Structure formats: structure tokens, C-alpha cells
Amino acid sequence: MKNKYGIIALMSLSLVAAMILPVSAQRIKIYHQGWVDLNKNGKMDVYENPKADIDKRIADLLSKMTIEEKTCQTATLYGYGRVLKDEMPTSGWKNEIWKDGIANIDEELNGLANHPKSNTKYSYPYSRHAEAINIVQKWFIEETRMGIPVDFTNEGVHGLNHDRATPLSAPIAIGSTWNKALVYEAGLIVGREAKALGYTNVYAPILDPARDPRWGRVVETYGEDPFLIAELGKQMTLGIQDQGVAATLKHFAVYSIPKGGRDGNARTDPHVAPREMQEIYLYPFRKVIQDANPLGVMSSYNDWDSVPITGSYYFLTELLRQKFGFMGYVVSDSEAVEFIYSKYHVATSPKDAVRQAFEAGLNVRTNFTSPETFIVPLRELVREGQVSMATLNSRVADVLRVKFKLGLFDQPYVGEPKKADEIVNPQTTKNFVLNMARQSLVLLKNDKDILPLDIQKTKKILVTGPLATATRYMVSRYGPSNLMTPTILDGIKTYVGNRASVSFTKGCDVTDAQWPESEIIPTALTADEQNAIDEAVKQAKQSDVVVAILGEDDDQVGEAKSRTSLDLPGRQEKLLEALQATGKPVILILINGQPLTINWANRYINGIIEAWFPNTAGGQAIAESIFGDYNPGGKLSITFPKSTGQIEYNFPFKPSSQAGQPSAGPNGYGKTSVNGPLYPFGYGLSYTTFQYNNLTILTKDIHVKSDIDITVDIKNVGKCKGDDVVQLYIKDKESSVITYESQLRGFERITLKPGETKTVRFTLHPDDLSLLDKNMNWVVEPGEFELRIGSSSEDIKLKKDFIVVN
């Protein structure tokens, strides 16, 4: 039988043990029908009783644990090739600090290509990994006194961070799908594969709003709007946890807006006001915690208002637990504890940094150093009375609670390791991967309906640009690797087949030899660079159409990779200008992880498709979209500015904060600034046209505690099937404090055939109308609101006012 998480039930545990344990271990006889004698005392203690209340099990276990055992539940052991030097347990483990247990082991035996030292024979086949995890878990069950199981953690924002797992698109591409059901299914896949491989906790989703596009980790976010992030993050969390695996939200909090968008060693001093922090940066965490009950949160290593987050009682206890209701355990981002002393200098010593973090509310410290560097000073602090036993018990109880909720004390092993070979990255997920790649595509420009191309009339196609044959962007530090990665050129060639000829020339590299200095000091083209562009021009003149694949690769955007410019890097703009000058139709496909200021392209290039960092099916999805087998329907989840000089330029925004400069009057002497976005939040075109009608507010008497039901009819009045993302915004027209000009409060992605009409229904909840009043309390104020329905934040089709009363 199975429990609610689909885990093989206890009656089969003895069979599992017999398969993986040596004869000597089986003689211990700790595996019984329905329970495990974890402390090997020959009787069922309360904490070993699956039928006992979890709080009673925790209290019983805590009462039996030593300080050594308790403190070992407060640290991470990074897996093989990072901190752990042994692939499998050895006799030497009895001399390591984890002889008394460990909270979690991170990225154990996941075998990623970008970590050569962690290369292991146990990552693949998948069943071998599941069996290996069982052996490691067996050591902690059998060889530690209390037999407390390990929580095996792993990353999962780009698909599960494991050798050849199912690949997802980059989160910024996932955000552009605006598809809640799709993201939930992605969560199911990540959770299911984690569970099959033996991972019990996935570090996903990232809930950081990307408000400054220069920031390197924009690619790992769902976008800039807190409501969109919360809705998609909730679905990813629910999907993962519905598979019986914990989801750990990251990065709490105010992580994504370091001063100037700088990354790497900076990532400090966010210039965020208290109200903005609550409304923008904390909103996704609050909503996902309250709606999806995640079992984990990762504390960030930045500061806010001169206090390190990981040393802040306000963030880790008052906000997270007391106000948001978080009931899991908090794990630190790497080096967050150490930075309290080494970077911020607000601790008197590394040991004092441990004290500050632990007192603030941190449960588990993570870093790429041995766990004893945290555990030993913590033990000293407890014995010295600087950390109370009550605090230690409380922090450890949170960790144990998660392990009990995951069923690890009752079923610590992967029940059927061999099934991992059927579950992980199966053929059945290939259609999902392709569908995600398709739905993330955003049509930015389609001048004179140049797209889709007619394959019958397009016999000579030039594919050019450095991203046409690149593959690195498909593989993330936080996702799978060792994958088959067809290029976009491969995708186009496969699609076209023998129906047309496809030629290729690179044209230029992603960057030039002087990059990134060339972003601030222009340099002349070298002879080789000019020759490469000339060759592309020569081939373009002989072709019917040019498909230019331009943008960024993994070396230009990502963690610790902020930029000073958002223009196309290197010589790509010069290549594009030269191709356009031939007079041939040019289609631009963007591969990038952050908004780019492609002003010239937007004015002069015929058709532009934003593809972000797609997954391994990206080449096929792009080819299908170019030739019309798929109609792009994604929408931008982040504003594209025209210039870095406009930054910050994002959605939502306060009234007049992004208005154009006046041409007259006391505050203006002429239009000297660049106004407006290149592409606004929520923007995206289609090969068909949609008509909006019959906006109806069904709820008649609207009170401050009322739900509000709304319907609107959407009709496809074009000639082909297509997706539209219907977006609901509200404006609070009367308020005691300044509110945002417009706020996203609902969205639905729908598919319509030509002539088809669908009625889309939205329900606004009181929280959707709430604001932080002058006393910083969330309230719904009576007054007039404006309801806006549109296809982007600026393309509003229908409006209707409504009144909220007490």
C-alpha cells in the first residue's frame, strides 16, 4: 500500500532493507512491520511510532538527544566532490562530525558536468543513484545512535539538478508562459524525479522579483511583477510538494535588487523602502507560504537597512514565522552566516556570527566548508549559555518536523530504486519539454506580417549569428546537465528537411576580444571580424530570408554576471545592421537571459521573436514558430527599457514615477529624456487577433471582505489558432496612501480556434484589493476601484469601475 505521498508503505520496508543491507546489518533487526527501531533499543519509542502525533514524536526525540546530536541537525553537509570526499560511507565516517547525524546532504552524487570533481559513477543510471542514496541513508539510520534520517537536498529551478534529468526552460522563460497549469506540471516532474532519485527537498522556486535588468540572475527569476511571481511560484511549490518532496523557496529576502544591479561580491545595500519591500519583494514569499505551505525557505546573504538578513530576527522570525505562518525550516544560502562577520563586520568573531544567525531564527547553515565550522562553535555557545537550550530545541524541532512530515522516520529509503529508470526523464516528458519551449516564446515584432514564413516560397534560408550553434545556455548550474542539446540551427534544418536549402555562417562571436570593456569603450572591428560579417552579407544576398540568432550565452548573464549595458554584446549589432542593409527580409531570434535594449532592431528588423534561454527543445519550437506550425503566445514577464539610463523602469510603478518629461511648466524645459518602455510588461503579439467583449462584474454588493467574480468574453477574430493571455489589472482610485498606478491581479492563458469565443472568469479576493495603510497594516479600504482587462499592462481593452463598501 502507499501513503498520501505515493511512498511505498512500511510493510515493504523490511524487503527494501534486505535488498540493500549486508547480512550483518540485517541481524540488527531494526526493521519491523510498520516501524523502524531507529535507536536500536528493542522497543517502539514515541518518535518511532508512525501513528503518534508529530509534535509528540518531536518532543520524545528531543528528550533523548544529546547536545552533539542536536547541533548536528543544524548544518548541511555538501555532497561528494564539494565537501564530502567519499562517494560511499567509509569506516572513517565514525570519526567525522556527522557520526552524530546531519540535517541534510546537498547535491549528493548528482554528477553535474560543471562540477568535474563531483563526477561519479553513481549519478547514472538513475536506479544506481537511488540505490546509492539508500546506502548513504542506511549509514545514518544504522550507524548513528538515534538513527535520524538525512534530508537529501538539491537544486531545481531549471529542472532537477541531476545528471540527465528532465530539462526545463530558464525561469525567465517559464515566466513568459503565464501558464499556471504548465508550471504546476513542471513542479510535478521535478518532484517526481527527485523522489525517484532519493532527493527529499528541492531548492525551488526562486521568488525574487527582477526589478533591475542589469542584475545577473534575472534569468533565474519569473519576472518583475510580484503577483505573477507568486502565482507561478505557488504552482511550482504545490507541484513539487504533491510528490512528497519539500520545496524550499529562495532567496529570502530583498535579494534581487543589490545597489546598481551589481552581482558577485556586491549583492548588498538594496535601496528599498519598507513599504516597497512588503509590497514587491516580500509579497511572493507571503503569498506562497500562506497558499502552498512550503517546507523550506532559504535565507539570503544580502543585508537590508544595514542588517544582514541571515542575522535578522525581524526577517527570520517576526516576518517569516509570526506574520507569514511559515512552519518549515530555514536553510542559509552559502556563506550567509560567515558574511555577518567577514563582509558586514557586525559580529565580533565568526562564532558571534553563528550566534546572531541562530538567535535570529536560522535552522540549518549551508556553506562549501565542513559542517563542523558551524556545529562546533554552536556547541560552545550552548555550553557557555550564549544560546539557550530552549532556542536549540526550537531550531532542531523545526528540522525534525520537516523530516517527520516527509515520512523519513517511517520510510527513510527509496522503496523501489529500479523504478527510477522509468520515472526520470522518460519519453513521456518530451512533449512537455517541447510544449514549455513553445509557450515561452514571445513575438515582439511582426512588420507587415512577415511571420510566419511560407516554406513553399522560401527556398534559400541563411541562418547566422553566434547563438545558432550554441548550447551552453540550455544547461544551468541549477538544472540538469549531460543532456543531448540540439542547436537552433539543428532545429531549423530538421524542420525544413529537403523542402528548402539552409546555409549557415556564424557572422561573429557572442562577444569581442575586448568585452566587457567594449561596453564602455568602443573598439574598431578587427580584420577577422570584418571578414566574418562580410561572409554573412555575401550569403544573405544569395538567400530568400535571413534568420539571425543573436543575444547572450551563459557567460554573459547568470549568477555573479551583472552587465553595464543591455545592448547586444560584441559585434552582433554590426552584424545585424549589415544583414538588414542587404534588403533581404531579416528575422531576429533572441537568445538571452535579461531584457536587451534592441532599439535599432525594433525599428528596422522585420520580425523579432524572444526565445530567452529555452530548454533542449528550443530549436524545434523556434523553427515551428518561424514557419507557422506554432503561433507564439507568450507575454513578457519583465519590462524592456530603451536604455540603461531609464533604470529602474519596471512594473508595477507609482503614479507619475515613469511619466515622460514635461515640455513646459515649472518642472520642465523640453523633452530631453527617453520616455516609455521598448516593450511593456505583459506584452506579446500573435499571428492572429483577439477581440474582448462583455466585461461583467457578477458580484453586486461588494464589501471589504467580499470575493468579486468577473467574466469577460474573448474571441479569436483572426485566421489561425492562437493563445492569448487575458490580464486583469486594478487601480485603487481612492486610498489613504499612494498605491501603484496599476496592479496585476489575475491572468489566464487560453487557446482559441478561428472564430471561437471563450468566457474567462476571474475571482478577486479581499487580499487582491488590500494595501499597507499608514500604520503598515494590510487592509482593504472602502472606495472606488477601476477594473482593467487587457493583453498587456499598456494595451487595456476594457475598463469598469466598482465601489467597495464597509
Side-chain angles (χ1 to χ4, degrees):
M1 60 182 293
K2 296 185 178 182
N3 66 14
K4 65 178 180 178
Y5 293 128
I7 306 169
I8 302 301
L10 279 164
M11 63 176 60
S12 64
L13 187 54
S14 57
L15 176 61
V16 174
M19 289 190 296
I20 67 170
L21 303 179
V23 174
S24 60
Q26 292 175 41
R27 291 198 189 104
I28 298 172
K29 295 183 179 178
I30 68 172
Y31 302 100
H32 301 279
Q33 188 75 18
W35 67 285
V36 185
D37 186 9
L38 296 162
N39 64 358
K40 302 99 180 159
N41 66 355
K43 66 177 183 178
M44 184 191 293
D45 295 279
V46 175
Y47 86 94
E48 297 165 344
N49 183 357
K51 297 180 181 179
D53 176 78
I54 285 180
D55 287 337
K56 291 181 179 178
R57 297 179 78 178
I58 293 170
D60 179 61
L61 178 52
L62 282 172
S63 72
K64 294 175 168 60
M65 294 171 70
T66 64
I67 289 178
E68 287 73 20
E69 288 162 341
K70 290 176 182 177
T71 51
C72 276
Q73 293 300 312
T74 67
T76 293
L77 172 61
Y78 257 108
Y80 172 70
R82 292 149 174 98
V83 171
L84 192 57
K85 295 180 173 58
D86 308 305
E87 289 180 281
M88 288 290 105
T90 69
S91 58
W93 282 24
K94 281 290 189 179
N95 301 317
E96 300 286 357
I97 198 158
W98 55 86
K99 67 182 181 297
D100 294 310
I102 201 72
N104 56 38
I105 301 180
D106 195 29
E107 299 188 43
E108 171 69 335
L109 302 171
N110 54 353
L112 297 183
N114 57 343
H115 283 289
K117 291 182 179 179
S118 66
N119 184 43
T120 174
K121 61 181 176 292
Y122 294 108
S123 63
Y124 186 84
Y126 308 121
S127 56
R128 185 182 295 164
H129 183 270
E131 290 164 353
I133 289 292
N134 277 349
I135 293 170
V136 176
Q137 185 74 282
K138 168 183 100 52
W139 190 91
F140 284 91
I141 297 297
E142 295 192 357
E143 300 298 331
T144 64
R145 188 178 72 95
M146 300 306 295
I148 300 173
V150 173
D151 184 16
F152 287 98
T153 57
N154 199 2
E155 301 283 352
V157 303
H158 212 291
L160 188 68
N161 190 33
H162 187 89
D163 185 0
R164 283 168 269 195
T166 295
L168 302 182
S169 304
I172 192 65
I174 296 174
S176 289
T177 69
W178 292 62
N179 189 326
K180 289 171 281 190
L182 184 81
V183 177
Y184 175 74
E185 189 174 352
L188 288 178
I189 291 171
V190 171
R192 183 165 60 242
E193 296 189 353
K195 173 60 71 176
L197 287 161
Y199 301 110
T200 50
N201 191 329
V202 176
Y203 292 161
I206 289 179
L207 298 182
D208 302 307
R211 305 290 285 177
D212 189 330
R214 295 170 298 181
W215 182 54
R217 299 194 81 173
V218 169
V219 66
E220 295 173 11
T221 73
Y222 290 140
E224 69 188 5
D225 179 77
F227 182 86
L228 176 65
I229 294 165
E231 290 297 298
L232 298 184
K234 178 171 70 175
Q235 296 305 319
M236 180 64 75
T237 301
L238 290 171
I240 291 170
Q241 295 204 158
D242 282 352
Q243 295 298 303
V245 174
T248 292
L249 315 179
K250 48 194 289 194
H251 308 85
F252 186 80
V254 206
Y255 174 82
S256 54
I257 191 73
K259 184 179 179 181
R262 298 175 185 86
D263 209 357
N265 293 331
R267 232 177 274 158
T268 63
D269 195 21
H271 289 189
V272 177
R275 193 179 306 278
E276 180 187 14
M277 180 182 72
Q278 297 284 348
E279 294 172 336
I280 300 292
Y281 296 94
L282 296 182
Y283 179 93
F285 289 94
R286 175 172 67 88
K287 292 293 290 182
V288 173
I289 288 168
Q290 292 174 348
D291 293 349
N293 299 308
L295 293 176
V297 164
M298 179 181 289
S299 69
S300 56
Y301 44 71
N302 56 281
D303 64 317
W304 180 76
D305 196 24
S306 299
V307 177
I309 298 294
T310 298
S312 169
Y313 184 85
Y314 171 69
F315 278 96
L316 299 192
T317 298
E318 290 183 13
L319 282 178
L320 196 57
R321 295 194 184 277
Q322 296 172 5
K323 290 193 176 182
F324 297 174
F326 175 65
M327 294 293 290
Y329 75 77
V330 180
V331 60
S332 70
D333 203 349
S334 298
E335 215 167 344
V337 173
E338 289 75 9
F339 280 163
I340 296 172
Y341 171 74
S342 64
K343 176 179 283 191
Y344 300 117
H345 311 296
V346 295
T348 58
S349 65
K351 180 176 172 179
D352 188 47
V354 171
R355 180 193 62 79
Q356 289 189 33
F358 207 67
E359 292 280 356
L362 181 71
N363 298 103
V364 175
R365 170 270 201 179
T366 296
N367 196 8
F368 293 98
T369 59
S370 173
E372 66 185 311
T373 59
F374 182 85
I375 293 171
V376 170
L378 179 58
R379 288 174 181 173
E380 293 173 359
L381 289 164
V382 173
R383 292 189 172 108
E384 293 165 0
Q386 295 190 62
V387 170
S388 70
M389 186 59 71
T391 298
L392 179 60
N393 285 342
S394 176
R395 301 291 180 265
V396 174
D398 294 329
V399 177
L400 298 178
R401 185 175 295 107
V402 170
K403 293 183 177 184
F404 277 116
K405 286 186 175 181
L406 293 174
L408 292 177
F409 283 87
D410 311 321
Q411 170 50 285
Y413 305 111
V414 180
E416 298 179 85
K418 292 297 182 186
K419 283 199 171 181
D421 293 329
E422 304 170 17
I423 293 171
V424 183
N425 201 1
Q427 190 63 34
T428 52
T429 64
K430 299 298 186 288
N431 286 337
F432 175 84
V433 171
L434 176 58
N435 191 32
M436 173 171 277
R438 289 168 174 160
Q439 292 200 32
S440 66
L441 299 175
V442 183
L443 181 62
L444 297 180
K445 184 181 179 184
N446 196 18
D447 190 31
K448 298 178 182 178
D449 293 330
I450 187 173
L451 290 169
L453 299 175
D454 186 344
I455 191 67
Q456 301 301 323
K457 299 177 182 178
T458 310
K459 296 304 178 184
K460 293 183 178 180
I461 303 164
L462 170 64
V463 176
T464 187
L467 276 303
T469 53
T471 59
R472 281 193 59 194
Y473 62 85
M474 299 181 198
V475 180
S476 166
R477 157 69 180 86
Y478 297 104
S481 65
N482 302 317
L483 299 164
M484 293 292 292
T485 51
T487 67
I488 297 173
L489 177 62
D490 292 333
I492 292 173
K493 283 185 172 181
T494 299
Y495 178 90
V496 169
N498 59 9
R499 294 179 291 176
S501 66
V502 177
S503 59
F504 168 74
T505 186
K506 191 174 184 180
C508 66
D509 292 326
V510 178
T511 59
D512 59 272
Q514 302 304 314
W515 192 88
E517 183 184 84
S518 58
E519 289 193 341
I520 58 175
I521 303 177
T523 57
L525 289 167
T526 66
D528 287 343
E529 289 172 338
Q530 187 63 63
N531 289 338
I533 291 174
D534 290 345
E535 178 60 26
V537 168
K538 176 184 175 182
Q539 293 196 34
K541 290 177 179 179
Q542 300 169 359
S543 302
D544 297 321
V545 67
V546 177
V547 180
I549 320 293
L550 307 179
E552 301 170 310
D553 207 344
D554 189 58
D555 288 329
Q556 291 79 50
V557 61
E559 187 169 9
K561 298 170 187 172
S562 59
R563 288 191 61 191
T564 54
S565 168
L566 294 176
D567 293 341
L568 288 167
R571 309 306 192 183
Q572 296 182 68
E573 182 91 1
K574 293 186 180 298
L575 171 63
L576 192 61
E577 292 174 6
L579 294 169
Q580 190 269 345
T582 65
K584 297 292 185 177
V586 178
I587 307 302
L588 171 61
I589 308 297
L590 288 175
I591 302 296
N592 49 302
Q594 60 201 142
L596 298 178
T597 48
I598 54 165
N599 296 284
W600 190 91
N602 181 63
R603 176 165 294 184
Y604 296 109
I605 297 302
N606 307 98
I608 306 174
I609 293 177
E610 173 61 80
W612 299 114
F613 279 6
N615 56 40
T616 53
Q620 179 179 346
I622 289 167
E624 292 173 346
S625 297
I626 290 172
F627 294 100
D629 278 0
Y630 183 76
N631 181 357
K635 301 284 187 176
L636 295 180
S637 62
I638 188 168
T639 302
F640 276 49
K642 292 176 180 174
S643 165
T644 53
Q646 293 176 289
I647 296 171
E648 290 183 17
Y649 203 94
N650 42 37
F651 181 91
F653 54 88
K654 295 291 178 67
S656 300
S657 64
Q658 293 179 181
Q661 183 168 318
S663 58
N667 297 314
Y669 300 94
K671 295 182 178 179
T672 62
S673 65
V674 173
N675 298 318
L678 182 61
Y679 307 113
F681 173 79
Y683 173 85
L685 304 176
S686 174
Y687 297 155
T688 190
T689 304
F690 301 98
Q691 189 177 84
Y692 288 53
N693 296 296
N694 303 324
L695 174 58
T696 305
I697 300 176
L698 301 175
T699 306
K700 300 304 180 185
D701 298 317
I702 302 174
H703 300 270
V704 292
K705 295 184 179 179
S706 298
D707 284 346
I708 306 169
D709 292 321
I710 299 152
T711 60
V712 62
D713 294 338
I714 315 297
K715 182 177 182 179
N716 184 345
V717 295
K719 298 180 180 179
C720 65
K721 184 175 77 170
D723 286 5
D724 192 23
V725 178
V726 186
Q727 301 165 40
L728 182 155
Y729 298 88
I730 63 164
K731 176 179 174 62
D732 190 342
K733 300 177 75 172
E734 302 173 4
S735 56
S736 61
V737 296
I738 298 171
T739 58
Y740 292 94
E741 178 67 26
S742 182
Q743 291 181 281
L744 180 69
R745 285 298 181 261
F747 60 91
E748 291 294 335
R749 182 165 182 152
I750 59 173
T751 303
L752 294 173
K753 298 174 182 177
E756 184 181 6
T757 298
K758 284 187 178 178
T759 299
V760 177
R761 186 184 184 105
F762 296 102
T763 299
L764 285 172
H765 304 293
D767 187 68
D768 295 323
L769 305 182
S770 66
L771 56 76
L772 277 170
D773 66 13
K774 292 179 180 179
N775 298 315
M776 296 297 285
N777 294 314
W778 286 103
V779 298
V780 178
E781 294 184 341
E784 186 176 6
F785 291 79
E786 182 177 80
L787 179 67
R788 301 171 173 179
I789 300 288
S791 61
S792 82
S793 59
E794 292 192 356
D795 187 10
I796 302 300
K797 309 290 189 182
L798 302 169
K799 297 180 180 181
K800 184 162 286 192
D801 291 344
F802 62 93
I803 304 293
V804 176
V805 299
N806 270 320

